[in-house]
């Protein structure tokens, strides 16, 4: 199931497609998600947690509110192998919440942006294959991807 985009990014700011109104990311509900909570061991995912996250997001769907999944890298994220595990974990997360209209997108942890633009591009490219409606959030002004909101 692919959802249509509800938001777009212009000059690294978030806009609602329906009326082209500018949205302040701080007005969106923030769900902080630890990598270690999603991925209990390498490629072993916490399906109970992901089901609970989906249930909470579906409540927002019903109320017409929107959320950002703020990723917390609470495990080392410095090597290409760790980047692959990290990306796979949050791609799996996106699959589990794929029908939640309330998900605006994901906020990157500083550890991902510290790996550079290519790591960010790889993450976005992987998730965008099935979740093209997502926008991405970072406080790192050095990340110049056109689907990234600076906040």
């Amino acid at each position: 199931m692919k959802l249509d985009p509800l938001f777009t990014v212009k000059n690294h700011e978030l806009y609602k497609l329906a009326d082209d109104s500018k949205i302040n990311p701080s007005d969106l509900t923030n769900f902080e998600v630890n990598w270690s909570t999603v991925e209990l061991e390498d490629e072993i995912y916490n399906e109970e947690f992901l089901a609970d996250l989906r249930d909470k997001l579906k409540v927002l769907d019903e109320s017409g509110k929107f959320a950002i999944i703020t990723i917390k890298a609470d495990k080392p994220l410095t090597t290409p192998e760790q980047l692959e595990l990290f990306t796979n974990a949050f791609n799996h997360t996106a699959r589990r919440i794929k029908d939640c209209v309330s998900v605006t997108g994901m906020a990157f942890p500083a550890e991902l942006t510290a790996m550079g633009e290519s790591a960010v591009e790889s993450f976005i490219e992987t998730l965008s294959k099935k979740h093209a409606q997502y926008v991405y959030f970072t406080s790192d002004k050095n990340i110049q991807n056109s689907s990234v909101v600076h906040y």
Side-chain angles (χ1 to χ4, degrees), residues 44-124:
I44 305 294
Y45 304 116
N46 186 342
E47 299 299 341
E48 184 176 324
F49 169 79
L50 295 173
D52 184 56
L53 176 61
R54 182 186 175 280
D55 290 345
K56 291 175 182 172
L57 292 166
K58 292 307 271 181
V59 170
L60 285 182
D61 282 2
E62 293 169 10
S63 66
K65 295 181 181 176
F66 296 95
I68 299 172
I69 305 298
T70 300
I71 301 169
K72 298 296 180 183
D74 59 344
K75 300 194 287 188
L77 181 56
T78 56
T79 69
E81 296 79 17
Q82 292 163 340
L83 175 61
E84 183 177 358
L85 289 169
F86 173 81
T87 301
N88 290 344
F90 285 97
N91 192 41
H92 184 79
T93 300
R95 279 196 304 268
R96 291 295 176 253
I97 60 174
K98 69 182 175 194
D99 65 336
C100 296
V101 176
S102 60
V103 179
T104 305
M106 295 189 179
F108 300 133
E111 294 84 352
L112 176 62
T113 57
M115 292 184 79
E117 188 84 23
S118 64
V120 169
E121 294 288 336
S122 174
F123 183 89
I124 291 172

Side-chain angles (χ1 to χ4, degrees), residues 11 28 33 43 78 82 90 94 105 108 124 128 130 144:
N11 296 319
L28 305 173
V33 178
E43 299 183 17
T78 56
Q82 292 163 340
F90 285 97
F108 300 133
I124 291 172
S128 292
K130 299 270 182 168
Q144 293 303 310

